Amino acid sequence: MAFPRILVAIGFLLAKAAGGEIIDRVAITVGARVITESEVRQAVRLRQFLNGEPLDFRAYILRDAGERLVDQLLIRLENENSRYGVPSEEAVAAAQARIIAELFRGDRVAYETALKEYGIDERLLLEHLRWQLTVVRFVGVRFGAGLQITPEEVQAYFMAEIAPKLGPGATATAEDFQSQIEETLREQRANELADDWVRETRARTIIDFHPEVFQ
Amino acid sequence: MARAPALTMGLAVLAVCGGGPAALAQPDKYEGKRIRTIQFSPVEQPIQGEEIFRLLPLRIGEALRLADVREGIYRLYATGQYTDIRVDARLVDTEGVAITILTKESWFIGRVSTDQGVRQPPNPGQLTNVAGLRLGEAHRPEAVKTAVDSIQTLLEANGFFESRVEPRFEYEPRTQQIHIRFVINPGKRAYFASPELPPGASLTPQQLARLARWRTIIGWRPVTLSRTQRGLDRVRRDFRRNDRLMAQVLLDNLRYDPASGRAVPELQIDAGPKVKVNVVGAHVSRSRLQALIPIYEEGTVDRDLLVEGARNLRDHFQSQGYFNAEVEFKQQRLRDDSAAVDYLVNLGRRNVVSTVEVKGNQYFDAETIRERMFVLPRSFQFRRGRYSETLLRRDEEAVATLYRENGFRDVEVDSSVGEAPGPQRGLAITLRVKEGPQWLIQSLELEGVETLDREELLSRCTSLPGQPFSEFQVAVDRDAILARYYAEGFSDASFAWSATPAGEPQRLHVRYQIKEGRRRFVRQVLMSGLQTTQPQLVNRRILLNPGDPLSQTRMAETQQLLYELGIFARVNVAIQNPEGELREKYVLYQVDEANRYSLTGGLGAEIARIGGNQASFENPAGAPGFSPRISLDFSRLNFRGIGHTVSFRSRLSNLQQRALVNYSAPRLRNVTGLDLSFTALADNAGDIRTFISRRREGAVQLSQRVSKADTFLYRFSYRRVGVDNLKIDPRLVPLLSQPVRIGILSGNLIRDKRDDPTDSTRGVFNTIDLGLASRAFGSQANFTRFLARNTTYHAYGRNKYVLARSLTFGWLQPFGETFLRTELDSAADIPIAERFFSGGANSHRGFPENQAGPRDLETGFPLGGRAVLMHNLELRFPLLGENIGGVVFHDAGNTYSRLGNISFRVRQRDIRDFDYMAHALGFGIRYRTPIGPVRLDLAYGLNSPRFRGCSATNSLTECGPLVDQRISRVQFHFSIGQSF
C-alpha cells in the first residue's frame, strides 16, 4: 500500500533533515590515498586568490582543481619515496614577498584582507608556496638533470623566439643568449618529461572521482 | 485524501533539502567547537573495538579542527576497509558539536568460480585465471566488467562466439567478502572455415588450412585457442623449413558468421625472402645450425642475432677441440627473393686441452678452484678436454666470485692459453689469481631492532667479527633477518647496510639498519571452497590462529599441509586487503577440491631371461623372453570427505595377473606420519619358473614416520597361497603342492638417508624386516622371518663417480608343529611360496629372475631357500655427456637351503650342491630420464651353477630325459631405475 511506504519515506527524510551538515568527505581516490572535498575547495580558493579571480565553485572548476590535485599527489608520493629535498624557508618567504609585491603592490593590509575574503589561512598559503617550490625542484632534479641541449637547438630557439624581437640591424647572436636559452629549453624539456611521467603514472593508477562532489 | 497533496509537497521540499547532493558546510561554523560525541554509521564497523577510535585524531571534549577531520578521513581510508567516508557535524549546543562518521565499506574478492557447463577447452581454471580477480583484493565494479570481457574474449578464442557471461554476486557482510560466480551460456562452438589471405600470399587457403590442420579429410575442425595457435606455429615452421626465416604469419581476426556457425581466420602472411645460411670451412648439420644461429628461433635476421650466431658457432667448434676456431659472417644482398648469410669458419688445428693449471692461489687450493671451472683437461669423459673462450671467461668470473665471497674484494683473475710444453701436445691453460688482501669484519652493529630479540637475530648472521667480509654474505644475512621479521608479522620490514673502514688495515665496521614497520596480526582464518571435505580435516592443518603474528611462513606451511592431504587440486592463499593499513587481517584460503575419481592406465614391458613355457618342463633356467604388461588403476579420493582413499589396482602380463583393493587412512587420529591401510589382494604370479603361485591375501598395515629418515611399518597379513604348474614331484614334497594359509605379523624399520631415492649419489639406506607366522594367527606353518639390507652410496670427484654397495641377509626359521610335513624331512618346513627366491635385475645379475639357490634334483627347477646372503658392489660413472652413464659391478651371494649352509665357498662341490657363493661381474649402461635411469646390464657369471634338469617334456606331468645343464654365464637385464 502506498500510504505506509510514504510514512517510511517521511521518517527517513525527517531523520535526514534533523541531521547535521557534511563538513568533509572523500572527493577523489588515488590508489590507496584520498583527496577530500575540503582540499579541492581549498585548492580552488588558493588558485583564485593567486590569480585575482572571484571565488567560484562551479562543478567544472572543482573538477579542474581535482585533476591538478591528483597530479600533485602523484608527484608528492614520488617525492616521498625518492627524497628530492625541500625548499628552504628563505625561498618560501621570498615567494610570499613576491606575491605581496606583484598582486598587492606591497600593501600587506590589502594582502591580509584578501586572505580573509578568500577564507585562506596564511599558513595554508605558505604551505602551498612551499609545495610549488618543491614541485619545481622535483621536476628540475628528476627530469632536468643531465638533459643535454645541443648547439643546433640553441640556434633554432634563438632564430624562432629571440631574433624576431631584436629588430632589424641587431648584431646579437645565439651565443650571446646561450645560457638563458639553454636554461629555458632545459626547463621546457623537463616539464614535457614531467607531463609524460604524470600521464604514465595516472594510467597505472586507479583514480576515482566521486560524482556527488563534482556536480 | 486531502492531506495527501500537502504531504506530498512537504516530501518534495524535504527531498530537495535532504535528498540531493549536499554542499560542504561553511568552515567557520564548526571550527573550534567542542566535540561532544563521535559516532559511526553504521554502528557495526569493519575495524574492531578501540582501534577505530585510535585511528581518529578527533577526541571527545577537544576542539574540532577541520584539519583533524581531513586527517581522520585519510587514516580511515588508508585502512582499505572503506570506499567512501563522510563526516557529518551537528551543533548540539552553543559551543558543542556532535560528529557522525558515515562510511561505506569495501568488499573484497572471495571465491571466484565459473559454471561447470562449458565444454573444454577452456577449462574452469583457465576461465577463472583470465578473469584476473585476485583473492583478497578490493572489489571494483570496473574490474568485474573487465573480467567479463576477458572471459568473453577467451571463450571467443575457443570458438564460443555466441557466449553470454553474467556475474552473480554473493555477499558475506561479516567478512566483507564478495563471492563472484560467472554464469556462462557458451552457445555452440564454431568450426573453422576457409582462411582469408591477402592477395599475393604464397599459400592458397586450402594449403594453409591443411598445413595448419584446421581441416581434415572429414571436414573442418572445431575452433579452439590451442588449435589456432598450433596451426599458426605449423605454418611458421613450414616457412622456416623452406628457409623463409623472416616469414610473418599473423592472425588479424577470427570472423564469425552466425548463420553458418563458422569462423574465418583472417591472416596476414608475408613469406619474406629465402635466407640461406651457409657455413664455409666446416660442416655443421642443419639441426645443429638451427640450434646455434638464433635467427631461426627469433624469426628475423638482424646484426645482433648474426653476431650471436657467430659466437655460438665459435664456441661449438672450440668445444670439439678446434680451440683456435674463428668465425665471421657475411650477408649477401637480396636478389630474386633470396638472401644468404655465409659464416666463414677457420677451424685451425684440432687440439686437446692437456693441462689446466691454477697459479697464484693461496687461500683456496687448486682442487677447490677447479671444482668451479667448466674448462677441463682431457679425460675419459671429455676426450679433448673442454674449452672455449666463453667458458674460460665464465670460469674467471666464477673464481673471482668465489674469492669475493670470502673477503677478497680486490681479487683479480685472468688466464692465458698456450701450447703445452715438452712432449705433451695440446693446449696448456693457466688461470692466474692475484688474491689481494682479505678484508675482515671488525664489528657488526644491528640497529633498529625494537620488538624481536636482537641476540637471536645476530645468531642468524654470518657476517660476524673476524669473518671475511663480502656483499654476498651481507645478502645472506639480509634474507635471514627479513625472513625472521616476515615470519613474525612484520611484512613491511626493511633492511639497509653500510660498511666503513675500521682503524686497522683491511678491516670494516659493518652496520645493519632495520626498519621494523608495522606488525600485523591474524584477525581470523577464512576457508572457502569446501564441498565434500569435512571442515575438521582442514581446520586441524591450519597453523595460524586469531591473534597470531601474520606470518608468511606459516601461511605457506599451511598451504603446503593442505596440498599434502592430496584431495585439493588447488589451494590459494591470500591476505584480505593486503595494502590496507590495518593491524589485524583476515587470512583467506580458497581450495578447489580435486576430482574425486581418477582412472589411469599404463603399458610396460620387461625383457630378460624370464620366459620359457610355464606349461612345460623345458628350460628350468629360463629363456630370453619379453613380457608386455598392462595396468589399470582406479581411485576414489577424499572418501567420506575425510581424506581417505579407496583404490583398485590391476596388472596383467604374461608373468603376473594381479587385482588389489586398498583403503588408505592417512594421518590416523590426526597424527602426521601415522597412516593406516587395509589391502585385499588376488595375485597369480609366474615369475618363478618352478610354479605359478596363486595368492589371496588380506593385510592391515600401520606406518609411522618418526623422523624424516625413519619409518616404522607394522603389518599383519593373512594369505592363502596355492601353487599350480608345479615342476617338481608333488608326491615328494606334498607341502609344496598344497595351498597354505599363512598369518604373519611383521615389523619393518626403514631408514632412508639418501640424497635422491631414484638415483642416489650419497647416503645410506637400511631396512630391517622381522616377521612371525604362527598358528596363533591362524597360520598353518610356524616360522620366523628376518630380512635386512644395508646400502651405502659414496660420491667422488664432484659427484661424477659413485660407489654403491648393498648387503642383504635373510633367514627363515620354522619352529613348532606344522600339519604339513615332508616325507624326507619330518621337521617343519617353509611353504615354497614363502621362501626366499633371488636372482635377477634387482638382486644377483648373474642369474635370471628368481633362479638363484637350491634346485629340485629331479627337474632342475629352483626351490627357493631359507637363507639369503647377497652383496652387490657397483661403480657408477659418467660415460657420454651428462645423460649417459656406465656402471661396472660385482654381485656375489646366493640363496641357501638353510642358515647353517651359508658359505663363502666359490666352487660347487657337485651337481647337487647349490649352497656356495656365486659371483658375477658385469657392466651396464644408464640413460638418465626424468623418472629415473633406464638401464641395461650385462653380467658374466664366474661360477654359475650346474644342475641336472629336464631337457624336454614328455607330457604335462612328466619330465623328459635329464641332462646336465648350467645357468647361462651371460645374463642381460633391461629395466628402469638403479638396481639398488
Side-chain angles (χ1 to χ4, degrees):
Chain A
M1 287 173 56
F3 187 66
R5 277 196 208 137
I6 287 172
L7 275 181
V8 169
I10 290 170
F12 176 73
L13 289 171
L14 281 173
K16 229 170 167 299
E21 297 174 275
I22 301 168
I23 54 174
D24 207 353
R25 59 183 164 183
V26 172
I28 310 165
T29 60
V30 182
R33 302 282 188 115
V34 292
I35 299 168
T36 63
E37 185 173 349
S38 62
E39 268 183 283
V40 175
R41 288 176 173 268
Q42 194 172 275
V44 169
R45 289 176 201 279
L46 279 164
R47 187 178 172 87
Q48 288 168 349
F49 167 78
L50 291 170
N51 290 345
E53 295 163 356
L55 274 178
D56 185 349
F57 292 105
R58 278 180 287 176
Y60 77 93
I61 294 173
L62 289 174
R63 179 78 190 211
D64 183 57
E67 297 284 359
R68 276 182 279 107
L69 283 172
V70 169
D71 295 347
Q72 286 176 32
L73 179 56
L74 295 174
I75 293 173
R76 195 186 298 275
L77 291 171
E78 179 72 10
N79 199 43
E80 278 170 17
N81 286 337
S82 311
R83 302 188 187 283
Y84 290 105
V86 292
S88 63
E89 288 310 307
E90 290 78 19
V92 175
Q96 182 193 26
R98 254 197 317 277
I99 286 168
I100 296 173
E102 287 171 13
L103 296 180
F104 301 97
R105 295 193 189 138
D107 184 348
R108 195 168 173 91
V109 172
Y111 156 76
E112 285 171 2
T113 307
L115 282 177
K116 265 206 189 71
E117 281 173 13
Y118 281 83
I120 297 171
D121 190 286
E122 188 175 37
R123 282 174 305 178
L124 186 68
L125 175 67
L126 293 175
E127 185 55 43
H128 176 75
L129 294 175
R130 185 175 295 111
W131 171 244
Q132 281 191 326
L133 292 170
T134 305
V135 172
V136 168
R137 187 189 184 92
F138 168 79
V139 170
V141 173
R142 177 82 153 76
F143 301 106
L147 278 179
Q148 300 294 325
I149 308 294
T150 63
E152 291 78 18
E153 287 170 322
V154 170
Q155 181 67 25
Y157 185 87
F158 173 77
M159 296 304 295
E161 303 291 335
I162 298 177
K165 293 178 186 147
L166 293 177
T171 57
T173 64
E175 275 178 16
D176 299 327
F177 294 90
Q178 180 160 356
S179 59
Q180 291 130 287
I181 295 173
E182 280 178 355
E183 196 180 321
T184 304
L185 285 176
R186 206 173 275 118
E187 205 177 295
Q188 277 180 6
R189 190 85 51 80
N191 286 335
E192 284 165 15
L193 289 172
D195 287 343
D196 290 342
W197 176 85
V198 166
R199 207 168 17 253
E200 285 160 19
T201 308
R202 284 187 77 132
R204 285 197 305 268
T205 311
I206 299 169
I207 300 167
D208 194 19
F209 282 74
H210 287 219
E212 64 274 15
V213 173
F214 299 97
Q215 288 175 1
Chain B
M1 293 177 239
R3 283 181 65 194
L7 200 58
T8 310
M9 183 68 81
L11 283 173
V13 169
L14 282 172
V16 167
C17 292
L24 279 190
Q26 285 299 314
D28 300 336
K29 190 171 172 186
Y30 299 98
E31 181 81 16
K33 294 274 190 284
R34 290 276 149 225
I35 300 173
R36 301 294 186 214
T37 61
I38 302 174
Q39 288 176 332
F40 281 86
S41 174
V43 173
E44 281 281 334
Q45 288 288 312
I47 304 172
Q48 292 178 320
E50 290 300 313
E51 191 180 355
I52 197 168
F53 286 98
R54 252 203 311 271
L55 280 171
L56 290 179
L58 305 169
R59 297 281 179 269
I60 293 175
E62 290 182 6
L64 175 69
R65 301 275 170 246
L66 295 177
D68 290 342
V69 171
R70 188 186 302 164
E71 180 65 25
I73 293 176
Y74 290 162
R75 291 185 193 176
L76 286 174
Y77 192 84
T79 64
Q81 298 290 103
Y82 304 105
T83 56
D84 199 4
I85 304 163
R86 292 183 315 176
V87 180
D88 198 86
R90 179 171 55 88
L91 292 172
V92 293
D93 52 51
T94 51
E95 287 303 315
V97 61
I99 299 295
T100 305
I101 302 173
L102 302 113
T103 60
K104 198 169 159 196
E105 287 176 19
S106 301
W107 292 98
F108 300 97
I109 304 291
R111 193 174 53 254
V112 177
S113 58
T114 60
D115 273 354
Q116 298 297 315
V118 179
R119 270 175 296 121
Q120 299 186 26
N123 62 44
Q126 288 172 317
L127 289 165
T128 50
N129 279 345
V130 85
L133 299 171
R134 290 215 287 264
L135 181 67
E137 291 199 345
H139 162 62
R140 291 180 304 113
E142 313 80 58
V144 174
K145 189 177 175 315
T146 305
V148 168
D149 292 342
S150 301
I151 290 173
Q152 202 102 47
T153 303
L154 179 63
L155 288 167
E156 285 177 7
N158 281 280
F160 295 108
F161 290 93
E162 294 176 354
S163 60
R164 278 200 312 277
V165 181
E166 268 182 43
R168 297 267 164 84
F169 303 101
E170 185 190 320
Y171 294 89
E172 202 177 308
R174 188 182 64 84
T175 58
Q176 288 177 266
Q177 287 197 94
I178 177 171
H179 307 298
I180 305 174
R181 183 166 64 92
F182 291 98
V183 177
I184 300 174
N185 185 352
K188 282 195 186 151
R189 197 192 296 268
Y191 284 75
F192 282 106
S194 183
E196 266 181 24
L197 301 173
S202 52
L203 290 170
T204 66
Q206 293 77 13
Q207 284 173 327
L208 190 135
R210 208 167 39 245
L211 197 55
R213 296 192 198 168
W214 292 335
R215 188 186 173 119
T216 65
I217 52 172
I218 300 170
W220 292 101
R221 300 180 78 182
V223 172
T224 68
L225 177 60
S226 58
R227 189 167 285 146
T228 307
Q229 286 176 344
R230 279 201 307 268
L232 296 173
D233 286 342
R234 283 194 195 99
V235 175
R236 289 187 194 106
R237 271 203 303 275
D238 187 69
F239 277 120
R240 280 205 290 273
R241 262 198 299 273
N242 290 298
D243 293 329
R244 297 210 179 260
L245 302 181
M246 298 171 73
Q248 297 281 323
V249 180
L250 298 167
L251 177 70
D252 270 352
N253 189 26
L254 266 178
R255 196 182 72 243
Y256 177 65
D257 174 22
S260 62
R262 295 194 179 273
V264 176
E266 294 173 351
L267 296 162
Q268 286 295 328
I269 294 188
D270 177 9
K274 273 196 173 188
V275 179
K276 198 92 177 74
V277 177
N278 302 309
V279 177
V280 179
H283 171 71
V284 180
S285 68
R286 190 180 166 82
S287 59
R288 174 68 66 176
L289 200 63
Q290 288 180 354
L292 292 173
I293 313 296
I295 59 175
Y296 291 94
E297 178 75 31
E298 301 293 332
T300 185
V301 180
D302 67 41
R303 187 173 172 74
D304 288 341
L305 294 176
L306 294 174
V307 167
E308 189 182 336
R311 198 166 50 238
N312 291 345
L313 270 173
R314 185 201 64 204
D315 289 346
H316 164 71
F317 291 125
Q318 285 180 342
S319 72
Q320 293 195 326
Y322 298 101
F323 301 132
N324 296 320
E326 288 169 356
V327 180
E328 52 184 55
F329 66 90
K330 210 164 66 168
Q331 270 179 285
Q332 293 186 32
R333 289 211 197 146
L334 196 65
R335 200 169 33 194
D336 296 331
D337 187 39
S338 70
V341 176
D342 292 334
Y343 278 96
L344 308 172
V345 179
N346 181 5
L347 287 174
R349 188 165 65 92
R350 199 169 194 186
N351 218 331
V352 297
V353 179
S354 288
T355 59
V356 175
E357 266 193 282
V358 179
K359 285 187 175 163
N361 54 307
Q362 289 172 348
Y363 190 79
F364 291 110
D365 60 29
E367 188 53 42
T368 305
I369 292 174
R370 282 206 194 90
E371 279 177 7
R372 280 153 178 77
M373 293 178 65
F374 280 93
V375 170
L376 295 170
R378 66 173 139 191
S379 64
F380 183 73
Q381 187 182 2
F382 296 98
R383 306 283 149 76
R384 295 193 167 272
R386 188 161 63 183
Y387 166 78
S388 72
E389 286 180 31
T390 304
L391 285 180
L392 191 57
R393 294 286 93 76
R394 214 185 292 177
D395 286 349
E396 287 175 11
E397 187 51 40
V399 173
T401 300
L402 172 67
Y403 271 94
R404 276 188 226 114
E405 286 175 4
N406 284 272
F408 292 90
R409 303 171 83 186
D410 309 319
V411 65
E412 288 173 16
V413 180
D414 62 22
S415 59
S416 61
V417 180
E419 288 289 327
Q424 289 185 81
R425 287 172 46 226
L427 294 184
I429 295 171
T430 307
L431 201 77
R432 279 185 300 269
V433 179
K434 244 199 262 176
E435 291 182 349
Q438 187 180 31
W439 289 77
L440 300 178
I441 296 172
Q442 180 76 1
S443 69
L444 175 65
E445 297 278 332
L446 191 58
E447 296 171 359
V449 178
E450 289 166 17
T451 312
L452 297 189
D453 187 315
R454 195 173 162 283
E455 292 309 311
E456 197 266 339
L457 288 174
L458 276 171
S459 72
R460 291 168 179 261
C461 295
T462 55
S463 300
L464 297 172
Q467 293 293 320
F469 169 80
S470 76
E471 292 190 22
F472 175 77
Q473 294 302 336
V474 171
V476 169
D477 290 347
R478 175 190 173 277
D479 290 346
I481 290 172
L482 287 181
R484 189 80 185 95
Y485 269 97
Y486 295 154
E488 288 295 329
F490 293 91
S491 54
D492 299 329
S494 65
F495 175 100
W497 69 278
S498 60
T500 51
E504 297 174 45
Q506 282 91 50
R507 294 285 194 274
L508 292 169
H509 292 304
V510 177
R511 195 148 56 118
Y512 292 162
Q513 289 134 326
I514 312 293
K515 268 201 200 136
E516 292 187 341
R518 266 195 94 168
R519 195 174 193 180
R520 310 244 187 263
F521 295 87
V522 175
R523 182 172 176 179
Q524 198 179 339
V525 178
L526 304 177
M527 180 73 60
S528 65
L530 297 180
Q531 291 175 11
T532 56
T533 307
Q534 299 285 333
Q536 54 267 32
L537 179 69
V538 163
N539 291 342
R540 287 186 215 132
R541 273 149 193 82
I542 295 174
L543 300 176
L544 292 162
N545 298 302
D548 285 350
L550 190 59
S551 164
Q552 297 280 348
T553 312
R554 290 258 156 140
M555 284 170 56
E557 284 172 1
T558 299
Q559 185 186 32
Q560 181 62 31
L561 286 176
L562 292 174
Y563 269 121
E564 282 175 6
L565 284 172
I567 56 177
F568 297 124
R570 197 159 62 158
V571 178
N572 280 344
V573 58
I575 297 171
Q576 189 186 76
N577 185 21
E579 305 299 324
E581 305 232 343
L582 265 186
R583 190 170 173 274
E584 292 186 340
K585 305 257 185 177
Y586 284 118
V587 177
L588 310 174
Y589 284 93
Q590 189 193 322
V591 298
D592 292 338
E593 289 177 344
N595 279 335
R596 283 179 289 162
Y597 300 95
S598 76
L599 184 66
T600 54
L603 290 173
E606 194 175 347
I607 302 171
R609 199 176 285 276
I610 51 174
N613 193 335
Q614 270 292 348
S616 83
F617 284 82
E618 291 170 10
N619 294 321
F626 172 78
S627 173
R629 193 160 61 214
I630 299 172
S631 61
L632 188 69
D633 297 342
F634 171 79
S635 297
R636 164 71 156 92
L637 297 179
N638 201 10
F639 187 66
R640 293 168 56 211
I642 52 174
H644 293 184
T645 302
V646 181
S647 56
F648 169 78
R649 282 177 232 145
S650 64
R651 179 178 287 192
L652 186 67
S653 74
N654 288 353
L655 299 178
Q656 185 181 36
Q657 300 87 46
R658 166 179 282 212
L660 182 150
V661 175
N662 176 265
Y663 182 93
S664 169
R667 295 164 301 275
L668 189 68
R669 293 186 162 274
N670 197 36
V671 175
T672 302
L674 194 64
D675 303 333
L676 183 66
S677 69
F678 300 88
T679 307
L681 164 74
D683 180 272
N684 298 339
D687 54 351
I688 299 170
R689 293 282 298 132
T690 313
F691 58 87
I692 293 173
S693 74
R694 296 197 190 284
R695 177 191 295 255
R696 307 289 178 260
E697 178 173 332
V700 56
Q701 176 174 289
L702 182 69
S703 76
Q704 181 188 16
R705 188 160 189 177
V706 296
S707 68
K708 197 173 167 204
D710 296 330
T711 304
F712 284 100
L713 302 174
Y714 315 99
R715 183 182 172 93
F716 177 73
S717 312
Y718 192 80
R719 53 180 173 259
R720 184 176 182 279
V721 184
V723 297
D724 284 346
N725 283 17
L726 189 59
K727 303 299 192 298
I728 54 181
D729 187 344
R731 294 169 299 174
L732 290 177
V733 195
L735 165 71
L736 305 179
S737 60
Q738 293 185 34
V740 177
R741 288 197 310 275
I742 302 291
I744 181 165
L745 182 68
S746 60
N748 192 319
L749 164 64
I750 300 171
R751 171 165 282 187
D752 189 349
K753 289 189 168 183
R754 295 174 292 182
D755 57 345
D756 178 0
T758 59
D759 195 6
S760 311
T761 61
R762 317 175 172 274
V764 178
F765 181 77
N766 292 330
T767 69
I768 297 176
D769 185 283
L770 195 58
L772 172 67
S774 166
R775 291 191 73 181
F777 306 134
S779 181
Q780 286 181 302
N782 297 312
F783 59 91
T784 57
R785 175 190 159 100
F786 176 81
L787 183 66
R789 174 180 264 200
N790 163 254
T791 309
T792 59
Y793 305 86
H794 305 273
Y796 304 94
R798 278 167 71 185
N799 285 2
K800 279 200 297 196
Y801 304 97
V802 177
L803 185 68
R805 51 148 299 283
S806 178
L807 178 67
T808 305
F809 170 70
W811 170 33
L812 287 165
Q813 180 61 47
F815 64 90
E817 292 280 323
T818 173
F819 83 103
L820 297 166
R821 290 182 183 277
T822 70
E823 285 182 6
L824 301 178
D825 182 354
S826 63
D829 205 343
I830 308 290
I832 193 169
E834 298 297 326
R835 295 181 185 184
F836 291 124
F837 283 87
S838 59
N842 294 322
S843 57
H844 196 307
R845 284 164 280 193
F847 287 93
E849 199 72 20
N850 295 324
Q851 288 276 329
R855 293 184 164 268
D856 179 47
L857 301 178
E858 297 291 326
T859 61
F861 283 90
L863 288 176
R866 282 161 44 178
V868 64
L869 180 65
M870 203 73 69
H871 185 263
N872 310 94
L873 186 65
E874 195 171 276
L875 179 65
R876 302 169 183 171
F877 50 87
L879 198 59
L880 278 175
E882 302 288 337
N883 288 332
I884 296 181
V887 304
V888 290
F889 60 83
H890 170 240
D891 293 343
N894 217 334
T895 298
Y896 297 87
S897 55
R898 57 186 68 221
L899 179 67
N901 290 349
I902 290 179
S903 88
F904 296 91
R905 181 166 43 84
V906 299
R907 287 176 65 94
Q908 192 181 10
R909 279 202 192 103
D910 54 47
I911 210 151
R912 299 154 64 92
D913 169 39
F914 302 102
D915 289 324
Y916 70 102
M917 185 159 278
H919 292 258
L921 294 173
F923 69 90
I925 306 286
R926 303 284 182 268
Y927 180 71
R928 191 178 288 172
T929 71
I931 57 170
V934 174
R935 65 184 164 111
L936 175 66
D937 286 333
L938 199 60
Y940 182 79
L942 297 174
N943 55 348
S944 56
R946 297 174 200 280
F947 60 94
R948 283 184 78 79
C950 303
S951 62
T953 304
N954 286 342
S955 73
L956 285 176
T957 55
E958 265 185 45
C959 176
L962 293 177
V963 296
D964 284 351
Q965 300 184 41
R966 188 176 189 172
I967 295 289
S968 172
R969 282 180 177 248
V970 177
Q971 300 290 334
F972 68 90
H973 304 279
F974 179 73
S975 188
I976 291 178
Q978 295 283 12
S979 51
F980 60 92

